[in-house]
Amino acid sequence: MTRTDPDRRPTLADVAARAGVSTALVSIVMRDVPGASTATRERVRRAADEIGYRPDTRARLLRSSRSRLLGVVFGVQHAFHGDLLAGLYDAAEEAGYELALSAVTPGRGEQRAVDSLLRDRCEALVLLGPQTPTAALSDLAARLPVVVVARPVRSSTVDVVRTADDEGLRLAVDHLVGLGHRDVVHVDGGRAPGAAERRRGYREAVHRHGLDARIVAGGPTEDDGAAAARALLAGPLPSAVAVFNDRCAVGVLDVLRRAGRAVPGEVSVAGFDDSRLARLSAVDLTSVAQDVERLSTLAVQRALARLDGVPAGQRELVVPPRLVVRSTTAPPR
């Protein structure tokens, strides 16, 4: 018997025809339930391998009373979200759940991403750094458990797992001041999730050290960082810059170096997230690290606790950050 059409996904019927058994018997083998002999199971699995059949796990889950799917909305352009996804996969698998992912892109908004997961019958949603208004998040939480990661939300029905963003900026400022810097500027994140908390942490830290606060408009992307760096170059250049996140910091680094300004010789730069981008050898960025494993584990645990009717206890769980020092910060000349 020949293989099935390579452009068509093999079905149970194709496996049955290949193995010379009924479709019902193939289903028994694929579901690994009693009703087939050892020899038959081996023949069916060999036939499945020969024609490239793979069970449709998603369809099987959706036919059950509980899908055992956790939906995750993430920003495809955010490197830190990729780090969180890796942790969420591990935590979900350990709990016997699977993830259904739905990306936010420049042409695909959060509402479309959420609607896709609702159609998949996900039991709960984990939203990474969403910008959806609080009222809309509360409405969504009335339908199913919602856990927001990396953004504070003032709602009694939405669970939150986040890093202490203000503390992270205080760590960055304390590090820079400890190196001897007295002119520390903050390139902020605009309206991005966590930006307000990081601005507050920066102001508190520089004031505690008796320094003046200076905030330059930024944002979450490399282009935002590049624009901020050009603004810095137009005036007296500070000796140190604490940036909203790693992507923005990379934009700052690129413009400063293209302008012939030495980093960290003339300007020290610190980012936030300790994403994979910061750890690249060509970047080697000092950055405030978020505890990805802890954030991911807590997010899954909160979602499952809601599903099981366990009292929430603390609705907002805040995880402390830490500073990772690399080559973009040094004492001033």
Side-chain angles (χ1 to χ4, degrees), residues 4-5 10 19 34 36 72 103 110 119 133 171 177 191 217 220 222 240 305 309-310 333:
T4 59
D5 182 350
V72 181
E110 287 181 11
R119 287 193 296 270
L171 289 174
V177 173
R191 297 175 61 87
E222 292 88 348
V310 178
R333 287 179 177 174

Side-chain angles (χ1 to χ4, degrees), residues 187-192 216-222 224-225 228 243-245 247-249:
V187 174
D188 80 353
R191 297 175 61 87
V216 174
T221 70
E222 292 88 348
D224 295 322
V243 189
F244 167 70
N245 71 3
R247 288 184 63 197
C248 189

Side-chain angles (χ1 to χ4, degrees), residues 6-7 27 34 37 48 52 61 68 72 107-108 115 130 141 147 161 163 176 199 221 240 244 261 265 270 272 305 315:
D7 295 327
S27 178
S37 67
L61 288 171
R68 301 198 73 78
V72 181
R108 187 176 192 259
D115 289 343
V147 180
V161 177
T163 296
L176 294 168
R199 277 193 296 271
T221 70
F244 167 70
R261 300 307 182 100
F272 200 117
R315 186 194 59 79

